[in-house]
Amino acid sequence: MTLAELLPTFRHSLPKKLDGSTWPDSAVAMPSGDVTIGGVSLTELADRFGTPGYVLDVSTIRERCRTYRALDAEIAFAGKAFLCRRMAGLLAEEGLSLDVCSAGELATALAAGFPAERILLHGNAKTDRELRTAANAGVGRVVIDSLAEIDRLVGAQDVLIRVTPGIDGHTHRAVATGVEDQKFGLSLAGGQAAAAVARVLQRPELRLVGLHCHLGSQIAEVAGYEEAVRRLVAFMAEIAVRHGVTLPQLNLGGGHAVAYRPGDAEFDLPGFAARIPRVLHYECRKHGLVVPRLTLEPGRAIAARAGVTLYRVVTVKHGSTRTFVAVDGGFSDNPRPALYDSRYAVRLIGRVGDARERAMSVVGRHCEAGDVLIPDAMLPCDIRVGDLLAVPCTGAYHHSMASTYNMVCRPPVVAIADGAAELWIRRETETDLLRRDVA
């Protein structure tokens, strides 16, 4: 056999870097069909920790933190995307701030020793207990989301007003938060944001430090953020004229899109870095304002690609027109397909499958016809019971949105760092479920 004839076989036998738009930076496909992350075998992790399970590549999280930190802005990780004590500690090490929206997220951050002065408290319906807890902990800033909330704040606080700028982020309606007539923020056009500013300034113990907005989630284009800068800087100028107050901070929120499947649109972060500071400086110069410090709140864009979810195939059912591949998880560990029609890729790992692939439905184990994880999965025709499947880009929202529907226990989170696996969150057990049942 000639060298030219041997070359394709030789190439097929080499490890191959996986698609960097959806898989962790360190993900490598092995000739055996296995995949490694940080040099650690996913099939071995499945055997060691069981399935379903979440796997996180720490190096990818750190790289994404540093990419954002390179921008001329404060970066506050959106804790709702994924938070545990080890994650909070990592974020603190990387110099990020942190936004939380519940007493539980705040408690997790504080338990990890995250600096309270770098925490922002969000939420459209903060309870009195949460506001008191934040004040007692010395949380750095509270993002005000309603007029009534202003009267319930206790003690001296630095606050921002969350403004609804009336901008469509062109995303799924369930995650569009910059438009009018939805539950978040105070309307700029309707005058509620201006009323909130006046009310805050009537309380001398409160220090109004800036404005906040959030346009939604999975936003790929920069244009909406440019328009948000124009509208919010104009509002800052109005505040300066009317009240003689110059605001030093402008928070544009997060919502930066990630690619869940190869070819999906991603947020144009280089374009954002080039265009937003230019627009901000121009608008401030036009209105005679000092340029405020910019804050961004990425969560998904930092954590999503670092994560992979592992499932074991429980049964394969051939219907009249479609094959159903049922796994040992489902929407209790990933509700996003049911909530937002989210779409994912999937890969058979642990063995080399039949080269022929066809469309199948990867479905969950729950007692709902809508428990479909991937309706259009391309999988080998010889898929069988016991096979291991890996779903990439699951580092954000999967653990944080997981439930115990059907009394199915929540999966563990296994982190890969420096070539070793470490349990960050253990698997939930039936004993855990029964502990809360006091009857």
Side-chain angles (χ1 to χ4, degrees):
M1 186 176 286
T2 67
L3 180 61
E5 291 171 323
L6 285 169
L7 196 56
T9 302
F10 175 71
R11 285 174 177 162
H12 184 69
S13 67
L14 292 175
K16 178 185 176 185
K17 191 88 170 170
L18 286 172
D19 176 18
S21 68
T22 57
W23 287 85
D25 294 336
S26 64
V28 174
M30 308 302 289
S32 64
D34 197 3
V35 169
T36 64
I37 293 177
V40 178
S41 161
L42 291 185
T43 58
E44 291 179 8
L45 288 180
D47 290 339
R48 179 179 169 189
F49 294 101
T51 57
Y54 305 118
V55 179
L56 280 179
D57 180 29
V58 171
S59 64
T60 298
I61 295 174
R62 290 193 185 276
E63 183 277 332
R64 294 301 295 161
C65 287
R66 291 166 190 178
T67 296
Y68 270 94
R69 284 271 287 153
L71 303 178
D72 184 19
E74 175 192 23
I75 306 302
F77 179 79
K80 65 178 183 174
F82 171 68
L83 193 62
C84 65
R85 284 179 289 186
R86 292 300 298 272
M87 183 65 172
L90 184 156
L91 297 168
E93 290 172 8
E94 292 295 333
L96 272 66
S97 298
L98 177 64
D99 86 61
V100 301
C101 59
S102 72
E105 289 181 0
L106 177 57
T108 300
L110 295 175
F114 197 95
E117 66 274 13
R118 281 165 36 199
I119 296 177
L120 296 86
L121 178 65
H122 279 269
N124 69 300
K126 306 177 191 72
T127 67
D128 289 340
R129 183 173 73 88
E130 287 168 334
L131 292 172
R132 285 195 304 269
T133 301
N136 292 336
V139 162
R141 283 156 290 178
V142 175
V143 180
I144 291 172
D145 202 278
S146 68
L147 289 169
E149 184 180 312
I150 298 169
D151 299 328
R152 294 167 44 233
L153 289 169
V154 293
Q157 296 276 318
D158 284 359
V159 301
L160 297 94
I161 303 293
R162 178 161 177 171
V163 176
T164 305
I167 295 171
D168 187 352
H170 302 292
T171 186
H172 192 283
R173 61 178 178 80
V175 291
T177 57
V179 295
E180 297 288 344
D181 294 324
Q182 43 79 35
K183 72 175 188 177
F184 292 106
L186 292 142
S187 173
L188 185 59
Q192 288 89 350
V197 168
R199 187 174 296 187
V200 168
L201 294 176
Q202 289 171 0
R203 292 191 54 184
E205 73 276 23
L206 301 181
R207 190 168 81 98
L208 181 61
V209 297
L211 302 179
H212 176 284
C213 76
H214 187 76
L215 303 185
S217 297
Q218 277 296 85
I219 297 173
E221 299 176 354
V222 178
Y225 294 98
E226 290 182 311
E227 183 59 26
V229 169
R230 294 187 188 98
R231 295 186 187 186
L232 267 64
V233 170
F235 185 37
M236 284 180 156
E238 179 185 322
I239 293 168
V241 170
R242 182 173 298 178
H243 302 286
V245 174
T246 300
L247 303 183
Q249 299 177 29
L250 177 60
N251 189 324
L252 293 181
H256 302 168
V258 302
Y260 282 104
R261 299 184 297 181
D264 283 357
E266 296 181 82
F267 184 65
D268 181 12
L269 189 58
F272 183 95
R275 292 161 57 181
I276 294 302
R278 185 168 61 244
V279 172
L280 179 60
H281 281 73
Y282 174 81
E283 293 297 320
C284 287
R285 186 167 57 250
K286 183 173 74 174
H287 291 284
L289 295 177
V290 175
V291 177
R293 175 66 166 163
L294 195 62
T295 299
L296 307 177
E297 296 176 344
R300 182 199 321 261
I302 287 175
R305 192 165 52 81
V308 176
T309 301
L310 302 179
Y311 297 106
R312 191 74 68 179
V313 176
V314 175
T315 188
V316 178
K317 186 181 295 184
H318 301 285
S320 56
T321 61
R322 181 162 288 270
T323 296
F324 296 91
V325 179
V327 297
D328 53 1
F331 71 32
S332 63
D333 58 74
N334 181 11
R336 298 188 68 256
L339 289 173
Y340 314 129
D341 300 319
S342 300
R343 295 290 181 262
Y344 292 85
V346 63
R347 183 185 181 96
L348 170 69
I349 64 172
R351 69 176 180 88
V352 178
D354 188 315
R356 295 177 299 117
E357 292 186 340
R358 60 187 176 88
M360 307 179 192
S361 291
V362 177
V363 299
R365 59 170 297 169
H366 297 283
C367 297
E368 302 282 346
D371 182 18
V372 179
L373 289 170
I374 307 171
D376 52 357
M378 296 302 296
L379 288 169
C381 292
D382 65 347
I383 194 80
R384 54 182 180 256
V385 173
D387 276 341
L388 192 61
L389 301 182
V391 179
C393 206
T394 58
Y397 293 107
H398 293 68
H399 175 267
S400 60
M401 297 179 77
S403 73
T404 57
Y405 182 55
N406 286 154
M407 295 292 184
V408 172
C409 297
R410 287 172 291 187
V413 177
V414 180
I416 307 299
D418 301 321
E422 184 178 14
L423 195 63
W424 275 13
I425 301 175
R426 67 168 173 81
R427 184 180 301 281
E428 195 169 36
T429 67
E430 286 79 9
T431 301
D432 294 323
L433 297 179
L434 291 171
R435 189 171 291 124
R436 295 180 63 239
D437 188 344
V438 298

